Amino acid sequence: MDVPIRPPRPEHPRPDFHRGLRPGVDWLNLNGTWDFEFDPDNAGLADGWFEPPEVALSRRIVVPFAWESHLAWGTEAQAGNQSWFSREVYRDPASVTVENYREAPRHTIGWYRRGFELPADWHDRRVFLNVEAADWELRAWVNGAAVGQAESGYLPVSFDVTDALVEGENTLVIRVHDPQEESRKPLGKQVPSWYTPTSGIWQTVWLEPRARAHILAAPVLPSLAEERATVLVEVAGDDESSLSVAAELRASTGAAAAHGEPVPVTDGRGRLELPVPDAIPWSPDAPHMYRLQVHLLREGQVVDTVHTQFGMRDVDVGPLGEDGPTYIRLNGEPVYLRGALDQSFTPEGVYAHASNADIRRDLLLARQAGLNFLRLHIKTPDPRYCYWADRVGVMLMCDMPNLGYDGYSQVGRERWERTAWGQIRRDFNHPSIIAWCLFNETWGLGGRDYAQMPQRQQWVRDCYERASELDPTRLVEDNSACLNDHVITDINSWHFYINDYQEARAHIEEVVERTCPGSDFNYVPGRTQGDEPLLCSEYGGISARMGDLDVSWCLLLLTNELRRHEEICGYVYTELTDIEWEHNGLYNYDRSPKQFGYDPAMILGESFVGFDGPPGSTVEPGAEVSIPLFLRPSARAEKLAGRLRWSATFIDRLCRERVIIRPRGLDDFDAESASLTLTVPDEPGLTRVQAFLHDTLGRPVAWNLRVLESVTELPPTGTGGAMVLTALPGDCQAHFEGDVERAEVGGEVHLLAGQGDGTAQWRFALPDEVEPGQICALTLMAELSSARPGAPQTDEDRWPSLVEIAFGEQTVRRVVLPDQPADARGALSHMHGLLGRYGQIVTARLSGDRARAAVSEGGIGVRLTVSDSGADRGGLTIYGSRAGRYPCDVTLQVDCLHGI
């Protein structure tokens, strides 16, 4: 394994709390390639592996990446959507597959070793070893002397190593033990029952010099209303009588904003009140940060200085408008939360990002998707994640890691509290964090039995009150509820995963109707609601274990239904990116884009144009249709209506598209009864109704779609006297090497998918009045795609297929079908439960004598043959007029010399 030119993650790990950013001067980064050994027999302690290098460690590992990750072993080039763990960690690597990787026995003890030399000017100060996070129990030695041990998991540990140091080369050894028994450890989804575990060191290791008396923390409490910032300085020192603290505040532009005159340190604390008149508030649209230097002085001389940063912003709850529902407010203004769940895993680093730039990229991806909010899911974040949320302008709800699965025990509660309160303490100064979520779905609290466990409920109430006391600047949620079991909370949240329009509509309406002060809905017995804002903190149509299916349709219809109800203050879509075997993200696991058939930012943005009704419906040909419409935010609906345009196009049974409503605005807009009215053509086909909102520069900012299917049993009519013959996919004789799927709509097979090589054949009978000698041309038209197992959402990963089209015994055309796409363009499939699959229109034409020669025994045989199938290609899917993207059946047009 090549030694990196410079250490991975070379930046200072704590931009929100540092003593200087000059590497090798203010701090020393120890990331990079370390000697390493697994310890399967737990022999290292007894055999003295912590001694200086007489004991060889035979392997090499890259710090700071978990030993389950590709990055730890230099194999990150192999990482991707189908490869997200290293086999190096397993006891029997050759036996590990994607089917058993979560259960296969792993190494649980690892030993790390490297050398280092101190910078010359550090010798008059105390030197601290910092490990930002290691899972789980960490022990450290310097030059063979024990310097500390601690349980880390998600939080940093710091050891004073000064007394163990020598001149010149020093040897650092770290042992990490991560037992596979998870019942009493704070955990997220980095456990074998969910995703790839995280073990060993997974955040930066570094050294820092500090004065004997030094600053431990400097949380800042901002108040826009009071035009001040309060700094609560915590100090470690031996003689407090001569210690004081002072501060200097600067805006991000560098201009001095305020000075805090020295105040004495008492009981290890000093309180500074900084006036901030005309403060520049932090918000997603203007994420302004203030920089703060906090000085520790002894008899007026500075002995320690810490640099931090924070935002001036207020978070509370209040009504939307004068008497509207309760919303979360930012800086006194209601804000609609447009969020996604972010589990913050990566295929190359598991729980860690490869680089600082990759963290920033994830926050930018959220903004590009139209979001202003992320729920960081049951994981204490890398501090640089919060740093970039501050800078990019993404509000965060930060979950605490849950209790272990059997975590409600004395040791389990103590560990959870240590992690939770440590997380609040560490990340206090990030303005992007607007709420803490203590527990997720009652994991570790008892599941469905929790509602009948008053003792556990009281502990959760105590935790809520403790969190609120520790951090009065943010909202606190007791439990992100999926079992209607809140106890006490600032946010009334709920989850749902439904992929059916009518069921989802009824569910959301019920939740809204039952949410009001005094209601016992969504709370444990004996507790009732106040006026907490109602937040859908998880939703989707494709849940964790449903596989790789298209999410474009459910994102559209579910978000539409949520925004229809302004009683709901926001949402958290599940999720920002795919993760391992969970495929419901806005992006793939490797952060590459998915195709939705539309831009998700047009659905997830601040402005919204919605339809009150199903995303697709069946209507009679020639019917007059009225589609109720609403605009959000409703307070701006009148202005938004002036920037609304809508249009309608129609595709007939021969796939001819025409505009039936050119882009136009609304003649009149009434927020209570706004609707779009049109008459669909008096023939079978598919009408697409689209509505757009534009900004003041004419750029689209919101979009929505409704599709109207017109159905009749009459065959389509050809042009110029041609005869049109049609057949359904289910009318063919199909023979394939693999499975053949036949999906019905209205009692007829409108989708047929054959896996592997094979054939599909139809025989079109000619009417008696058509003489074969009159035929001058035959044209086949059909919607076709390859046949990919399942219905994965369209992205860059293709599944091609080679198809040969023959009339009778004559090969007419060979065509490569590039994929079996599945997204919102497959509206007919979505309407009829066929998972959004669709194809492309393929035509094949035969003319003259060859066309006439194709006729035998009063009919014409058509054969589609698939060949060259393989592990990642092949098969054939045939779509009828009620499946796929186009309202056409398998169609043969017969042109005759003198017409029909």
Side-chain angles (χ1 to χ4, degrees):
M1 181 171 59
D2 294 331
V3 176
I5 296 174
R6 68 172 187 160
R9 299 299 301 271
E11 67 283 343
H12 196 289
R14 291 292 306 277
D16 60 318
F17 189 90
H18 64 86
R19 291 178 167 82
L21 298 177
R22 296 170 297 174
V25 177
D26 301 311
W27 68 295
L28 188 65
N29 191 323
L30 298 184
N31 292 343
T33 303
W34 293 43
D35 296 331
F36 182 79
E37 198 76 74
F38 285 120
D39 188 1
D41 300 320
N42 193 17
L45 288 170
D47 293 348
W49 291 12
F50 49 84
E51 295 290 345
E54 287 80 6
V55 178
L57 302 183
S58 66
R59 308 187 72 174
R60 308 255 273 171
I61 195 170
V62 178
V63 171
F65 303 113
W67 59 56
E68 290 88 353
S69 70
H70 282 293
L71 281 166
W73 308 102
T75 58
E76 58 268 22
Q78 300 175 17
N81 294 329
Q82 306 302 321
S83 176
W84 55 77
F85 63 89
S86 171
R87 288 174 172 79
E88 297 288 338
V89 69
Y90 292 97
R91 300 291 187 100
D92 181 14
S95 68
V96 177
T97 68
V98 292
E99 285 74 32
N100 69 5
Y101 76 101
R102 290 179 289 169
E103 298 83 21
R106 297 180 294 114
H107 291 286
T108 62
I109 301 174
W111 289 79
Y112 300 78
R113 183 171 64 208
R114 66 158 292 162
F116 66 90
E117 291 188 19
L118 290 183
D121 61 350
W122 285 20
H123 295 292
D124 61 343
R125 286 174 286 177
R126 307 300 295 179
V127 177
F128 284 78
L129 168 68
N130 302 287
V131 180
E132 286 300 303
D135 201 345
W136 164 250
E137 182 191 32
L138 178 149
R139 300 179 68 173
W141 295 260
V142 172
N143 301 320
V147 293
Q149 70 180 79
E151 294 175 347
S152 172
Y154 293 90
L155 292 179
V157 297
S158 184
F159 303 136
D160 186 339
V161 301
T162 312
D163 296 337
L165 296 172
V166 299
E167 293 289 336
E169 180 81 6
N170 290 269
T171 300
L172 170 63
V173 174
I174 295 176
R175 175 188 184 269
V176 182
H177 180 206
D178 186 30
Q180 288 187 281
E181 194 279 320
E182 305 284 354
S183 66
R184 297 184 178 186
K185 291 164 52 181
L187 56 85
K189 290 186 176 178
Q190 82 304 356
V191 290
S193 57
W194 280 94
Y195 310 122
T196 301
T198 292
S199 302
I201 297 169
W202 65 278
Q203 288 184 36
T204 292
V205 181
W206 56 293
L207 294 170
E208 179 187 44
R210 304 178 194 170
R212 184 174 296 275
H214 55 269
I215 298 168
L216 290 176
V220 182
L221 286 73
S223 175
L224 280 171
E226 299 177 3
E227 295 188 319
R228 64 176 170 82
T230 303
V231 189
L232 304 176
V233 187
E234 298 179 33
V235 174
D238 47 4
D239 180 10
E240 289 187 1
S241 62
S242 58
L243 293 178
S244 61
V245 291
E248 182 179 348
L249 180 66
R250 292 184 178 273
S252 61
T253 57
H259 293 274
E261 296 300 324
V263 298
V265 172
T266 304
D267 295 330
R269 299 178 184 274
R271 181 186 182 100
L272 294 165
E273 299 285 354
L274 302 179
V276 192
D278 302 318
I280 305 170
W282 184 95
S283 71
D285 293 332
H288 182 272
M289 299 291 292
Y290 283 88
R291 295 183 294 162
L292 181 68
Q293 291 184 23
V294 182
H295 306 293
L296 179 65
L297 303 94
R298 184 182 295 279
E299 298 179 349
Q301 299 298 312
V302 174
V303 296
D304 190 26
T305 296
V306 163
H307 304 260
T308 186
Q309 50 194 316
F310 67 97
M312 290 294 293
R313 62 99 182 90
D314 292 341
V315 179
D316 63 359
V317 300
L320 179 66
E322 293 185 2
D323 55 358
T326 304
Y327 268 45
I328 294 171
R329 299 194 304 187
L330 182 68
N331 305 329
E333 295 295 328
V335 57
Y336 189 87
L337 300 179
R338 311 182 315 275
L341 200 72
D342 186 8
Q343 307 208 50
S344 197
F345 279 69
T346 71
E348 65 277 357
V350 189
Y351 238 20
H353 287 77
S355 70
N356 183 51
D358 285 350
I359 300 175
R360 178 176 181 268
R361 171 209 59 199
D362 282 6
L363 276 302
L364 288 173
L365 287 175
R367 292 307 303 261
Q368 291 166 13
L371 304 174
N372 64 3
F373 175 64
L374 289 172
R375 178 183 167 207
L376 185 64
H377 194 40
I378 46 180
K379 174 189 178 183
T380 301
D382 183 316
R384 282 199 165 258
Y385 180 98
C386 302
Y387 168 82
W388 281 116
D390 295 341
R391 294 289 175 174
V392 170
V394 176
M395 293 178 288
L396 299 176
M397 170 185 279
C398 286
D399 293 5
M400 309 302 185
N402 274 314
L403 284 166
Y405 288 117
D406 186 28
Y408 193 81
S409 61
Q410 182 68 28
V411 65
R413 295 196 304 273
E414 289 175 354
R415 285 170 168 171
W416 182 89
E417 289 189 38
R418 184 169 66 246
T419 298
W421 313 149
Q423 182 174 339
I424 292 175
R425 173 187 172 88
R426 189 197 71 177
D427 295 338
F428 196 98
N429 285 356
H430 293 289
S432 54
I433 303 174
I434 64 169
W436 303 110
C437 179
L438 303 185
F439 299 97
N440 177 67
E441 297 183 344
T442 64
W443 288 15
L445 293 172
R448 294 189 180 278
D449 295 333
Y450 169 67
Q452 307 301 325
M453 294 178 169
Q455 183 179 7
R456 299 190 184 192
Q457 295 168 22
Q458 183 59 48
W459 179 66
V460 170
R461 184 185 184 94
D462 293 343
C463 289
Y464 163 86
E465 292 174 348
R466 178 60 174 157
S468 300
E469 177 186 10
L470 288 172
D471 188 354
T473 73
R474 295 177 173 92
L475 305 180
V476 178
E477 184 177 16
D478 62 337
N479 173 42
S480 194
C482 69
L483 300 175
N484 307 127
D485 50 9
H486 284 299
V487 173
I488 179 173
T489 181
D490 296 332
I491 301 171
N492 186 356
S493 69
W494 97 99
H495 301 174
F496 76 91
Y497 292 92
I498 300 173
N499 203 19
D500 175 80
Y501 165 73
Q502 294 292 350
E503 184 182 352
R505 182 182 177 95
H507 169 77
I508 295 169
E509 288 179 344
E510 179 187 12
V511 170
V512 170
E513 181 179 348
R514 298 180 68 183
T515 299
C516 57
S519 171
D520 61 2
F521 173 69
N522 210 24
Y523 280 67
V524 299
R527 305 286 185 183
T528 58
Q529 299 176 23
D531 60 352
E532 300 85 8
L534 176 63
L535 174 71
C536 181
S537 58
E538 287 186 33
Y539 78 101
I542 307 300
S543 58
R545 303 184 189 277
M546 292 178 66
D548 191 354
L549 300 174
D550 169 42
V551 301
S552 63
W553 196 250
C554 59
L555 176 68
L556 176 65
L557 73 91
L558 297 177
T559 307
N560 186 91
E561 289 306 301
L562 288 168
R563 294 219 68 172
R564 194 165 64 87
H565 298 277
E566 280 201 308
E567 296 89 344
I568 302 169
C569 76
Y571 55 73
V572 178
Y573 172 72
T574 305
E575 56 196 313
L576 183 64
T577 72
D578 290 355
I579 171 173
E580 301 192 7
W581 41 266
E582 185 172 346
H583 299 277
N584 45 22
L586 298 173
Y587 301 92
N588 289 308
Y589 195 18
D590 66 0
R591 277 54 173 177
S592 61
K594 297 181 178 182
Q595 295 183 39
F596 284 72
Y598 58 86
D599 181 356
M602 297 293 101
I603 295 296
L604 299 172
E606 178 183 9
S607 299
F608 189 85
V609 53
F611 293 121
D612 187 357
S617 55
T618 303
V619 300
E620 293 292 327
E624 183 177 87
V625 179
S626 181
I627 306 174
L629 175 144
F630 62 91
L631 300 176
R632 296 288 182 265
S634 61
R636 296 173 50 215
E638 294 292 340
K639 291 183 178 180
L640 293 175
R643 300 202 295 266
L644 173 70
R645 296 292 182 271
W646 70 284
S647 64
T649 57
F650 180 76
I651 306 174
D652 69 13
R653 293 282 296 278
L654 295 179
C655 293
R656 296 170 297 199
E657 184 172 348
R658 65 183 186 268
V659 176
I660 57 175
I661 302 288
R662 297 192 177 277
R664 63 173 65 168
L666 287 179
D667 295 333
D668 297 297
F669 177 78
D670 182 341
E672 300 298 324
S673 61
S675 63
L676 309 180
T677 301
L678 71 157
T679 300
V680 301
D682 192 16
E683 59 179 301
L686 186 68
T687 301
R688 290 171 52 90
V689 181
Q690 300 185 82
F692 288 90
L693 286 173
H694 296 83
D695 64 14
T696 55
L697 299 178
R699 298 170 300 193
V701 294
W703 166 93
N704 215 319
L705 169 73
R706 285 299 178 266
V707 293
L708 307 171
E709 174 195 40
S710 307
V711 178
T712 180
E713 296 181 0
L714 297 176
T717 303
T719 59
M723 173 174 288
V724 175
L725 307 176
T726 63
L728 289 169
D731 296 336
C732 73
Q733 295 182 3
H735 302 280
F736 287 86
E737 292 178 340
D739 295 336
V740 177
E741 175 190 3
R742 293 175 171 84
E744 293 188 357
V745 179
E748 298 178 307
V749 175
H750 275 266
L751 183 147
L752 185 144
Q755 302 290 328
D757 290 347
T759 61
Q761 300 182 73
W762 296 264
R763 183 168 182 80
F764 292 88
L766 289 176
D768 293 339
E769 63 269 21
V770 177
E771 294 290 337
Q774 296 177 313
I775 296 174
C776 62
L778 300 172
T779 304
L780 178 74
M781 180 183 70
E783 182 178 354
L784 308 174
S785 75
S786 62
R788 190 170 185 168
Q793 187 165 354
T794 316
D795 61 14
E796 296 174 351
D797 182 19
R798 301 299 188 191
W799 186 280
S801 183
L802 176 64
V803 177
E804 179 183 276
I805 303 173
F807 292 177
E809 299 304 317
Q810 302 180 72
T811 298
V812 180
R813 185 183 178 192
R814 291 184 177 87
V815 61
V816 174
L817 303 173
D819 198 10
Q820 176 200 266
D823 54 58
R825 285 167 286 196
L828 288 164
S829 287
H830 277 299
M831 285 175 59
H832 301 299
L834 305 180
L835 303 176
R837 293 171 286 180
Y838 65 94
Q840 65 186 66
I841 295 300
V842 175
T843 60
R845 183 176 175 83
L846 203 59
S847 60
D849 290 340
R850 294 185 67 199
R852 290 184 282 276
V855 181
S856 65
E857 299 179 0
I860 301 166
V862 172
R863 183 178 68 255
L864 306 181
T865 302
V866 184
S867 59
D868 193 30
S869 293
D872 56 356
R873 59 184 295 117
L876 175 65
T877 304
I878 307 152
Y879 303 85
S881 58
R882 304 194 71 185
R885 180 176 183 178
Y886 304 96
C888 68
D889 294 314
V890 180
T891 302
L892 183 66
Q893 180 167 303
V894 182
D895 292 279
C896 295
L897 291 172
H898 305 293
I900 301 291

